[in-house]
Amino acid sequence: MADQKDQKKPNQSIPPYMKAISGSIGGTVEACCLQPIDVIKTRLQLDRSGAYKGIVHCGTTVARTEGVRALWKGLTPFATHMTLKYALRMGSNAMFQTALKDSETGKLSNAGRVFSGFGAGVLEALVVKIRLQQQKGLSPELLKYKGPIHCARMIIREEGLLGLWAGAAPTVMRNGTNQAAMFTAKNAFDGLLWKKQEGDGKVLQPWQSMISGFLAGTAGPVFTGPFDVVKTRLMAQSRSPSGELKYKGMIHAIRTIYSEEGLRALWKGLLPRLMRIPPGQAIMWAVSDQITGFYERRYMRNTPL
């Protein structure tokens, strides 16, 4: 009987709530480390006049004209967002995987893994951070939005409740595709590089998790660049004095940006995204894998710590 129990243990899955906790902690650490890159990415994507010549110029310009603290502008909503986002992403992905596993073998197919990642990505949303980051200066009297709560209230007052979900369509496409690729790639790299399978009791070293996470986080930005630019433009735009919006929706925004600024504009901010997302995934997975590994050893396999 003991041997049978030991044979079943490797197939046990880490509970979704544990995945959510590990992801939220990893997301918080990631946000604090990489916030300046996210601010620079947003500024570059919103730059229509060519004020910034590149990543370094953008960062130094913001620091020189607005102060170094401006590079962490929007950190409170961003850190909150990252904590909730990764809790939702990791937890929902685990729930989708549990639901899609074969009832007899307990295994998850590749298609099921992709769908689980896409479903987790679709659940994510984001607006307030973009509005705060696009503001210039630190003086409170010069800022339209004084903080995340004030920002949300102003958006609702001026644009209605649906304003908080501006850019939902490109966000769904970007996040869904990103997470489908990321979760699938992370699992593939863990198995290929380190012979690690979920529930097998093996805990990766932090540097191993960082390598797998970095590689898994690289492909998505290239394929989802246009969705990310459109998402940012839709979320950041405000109505003209006549009440008109420049971009009417996702497709209209893509066509307008392409016709006015050229094809390359749809990948604006790609380099800072590549500087931001893969390292962010490396940090998040290094933290998350250690937490879930501790849970596996302590509560699932009763292995001495």
Side-chain angles (χ1 to χ4, degrees):
M1 290 295 291
D3 291 340
Q4 292 179 351
K5 288 182 180 179
D6 289 340
Q7 291 174 357
K8 291 180 180 179
K9 282 180 180 177
N11 292 326
Q12 290 181 320
S13 297
I14 298 172
Y17 77 85
M18 198 61 221
K19 289 290 189 71
I21 292 172
S22 67
S24 65
I25 296 173
T28 301
V29 175
E30 175 190 343
C32 294
C33 293
L34 300 177
Q35 172 71 357
I37 295 297
D38 201 64
V39 171
I40 290 172
K41 182 208 76 169
T42 301
R43 292 294 184 89
L44 287 174
Q45 289 182 341
L46 295 174
D47 178 26
R48 298 188 183 93
S49 61
Y52 303 121
K53 309 306 179 185
I55 296 171
V56 175
H57 181 259
C58 179
T60 55
T61 299
V62 171
R64 184 181 67 254
T65 60
E66 304 174 45
V68 175
R69 284 192 303 149
L71 290 172
W72 275 267
K73 189 176 288 185
L75 178 60
T76 299
F78 186 43
T80 301
H81 162 72
M82 293 293 277
T83 300
L84 298 176
K85 178 179 79 170
Y86 278 114
L88 177 63
R89 178 189 295 180
M90 303 290 281
S92 60
N93 179 71
M95 287 191 292
F96 282 128
Q97 288 188 352
T98 299
L100 293 173
K101 282 183 178 179
D102 186 278
S103 58
E104 295 182 0
T105 64
K107 294 182 178 180
L108 182 69
S109 66
N110 289 332
R113 193 175 300 279
V114 171
F115 182 82
S116 296
F118 188 86
V122 165
L123 296 178
E124 298 177 18
L126 169 68
V127 169
V128 171
K129 176 179 72 71
I130 297 294
R131 296 295 182 92
L132 290 172
Q133 284 182 353
Q134 71 172 341
Q135 299 185 113
K136 297 183 178 181
L138 288 172
S139 179
E141 60 270 15
L142 298 178
L143 298 179
K144 179 178 181 180
Y145 306 118
K146 314 304 181 185
I149 303 301
H150 181 258
C151 180
R153 289 172 57 190
M154 289 289 289
I155 293 173
I156 294 173
R157 182 186 307 167
E158 296 178 354
E159 304 170 38
L161 189 60
L162 291 179
L164 291 173
W165 280 268
T171 300
V172 164
M173 292 302 299
R174 185 202 65 164
N175 287 5
T177 305
N178 259 340
Q179 302 333 310
M182 188 270 289
F183 280 110
T184 303
K186 176 60 166 59
N187 181 76
F189 283 123
D190 281 350
L192 180 66
L193 297 176
W194 323 119
K195 310 301 181 186
K196 160 69 180 172
Q197 300 298 328
E198 183 176 348
D200 63 3
K202 181 178 181 179
V203 181
L204 298 179
Q205 294 295 318
W207 64 269
Q208 293 176 312
S209 296
M210 292 185 76
I211 291 175
S212 294
F214 186 93
L215 294 174
T218 299
V222 176
F223 294 103
T224 62
F227 295 123
D228 192 60
V229 172
V230 169
K231 170 191 71 67
T232 301
R233 294 285 183 93
L234 288 175
M235 289 177 176
Q237 71 175 341
S238 57
R239 294 185 181 276
S240 66
S242 62
E244 294 294 321
L245 290 173
K246 180 178 178 65
Y247 305 117
K248 312 302 181 183
M250 181 175 68
I251 302 301
H252 180 260
I254 291 175
R255 293 173 57 187
T256 301
I257 294 171
Y258 172 73
S259 63
E260 292 183 354
E261 305 173 49
L263 183 63
R264 292 177 59 185
L266 290 170
W267 275 268
K268 269 190 175 182
L270 176 60
L271 186 54
R273 282 192 79 201
L274 289 175
M275 292 176 65
R276 164 72 181 81
I277 293 177
Q281 290 299 299
I283 293 171
M284 190 281 296
W285 282 110
V287 175
S288 177
D289 281 354
Q290 291 302 302
I291 295 173
T292 54
F294 173 85
Y295 182 89
E296 275 192 79
R297 298 195 307 271
R298 180 67 179 83
Y299 297 103
M300 292 175 62
R301 299 179 63 82
N302 295 318
T303 302
L305 298 176

